[in-house]
Amino acid sequence: MLDYDRRNLLTYAELLDAADAGIGWEEGSLDILGIDPVADPDRAWRCWDSHLERARWIVGDGLGAAIEAFGTLPRNMIRNIVQ
């Protein structure tokens, strides 16, 4: 897990929540990532897609690396981070 990932953990959580709620990439890229999908649709889509993919990796196969990056945390804090 990169320092960038640690700094953007909240963004990743918001992206996962938005995707689970069925929010489209246009709305999500504007509201969460601050990229206007009308003014820059290619960049908005690429950022939405790549950040959502990274978020899914972190809570999936990258979970071990994520936990290691946060050091030793109480079990309830880790559970809150990955939910």
Side-chain angles (χ1 to χ4, degrees):
M1 176 174 259
L2 306 172
D3 187 49
Y4 179 87
D5 294 323
R6 286 192 297 274
R7 289 191 319 266
N8 287 285
L9 194 59
L10 179 58
T11 299
Y12 293 147
E14 290 176 315
L15 289 168
L16 290 168
D17 286 345
D20 288 347
I23 293 172
W25 70 269
E26 296 95 340
E27 181 181 351
S29 66
L30 182 61
D31 293 346
I32 298 168
L33 300 173
I35 302 170
D36 186 343
V38 174
D40 198 350
D42 291 337
R43 179 172 174 253
W45 164 250
R46 283 192 319 272
C47 287
W48 167 266
D49 188 53
S50 65
H51 282 74
L52 183 57
E53 183 178 329
R54 183 71 176 178
R56 288 179 174 148
W57 176 82
I58 288 171
V59 298
D61 291 341
L63 186 57
I67 291 170
E68 183 178 327
F70 282 97
T72 304
L73 297 174
R75 191 174 291 274
N76 64 333
M77 286 182 69
I78 293 170
R79 198 172 296 121
N80 289 336
I81 290 170
V82 297
Q83 288 182 347

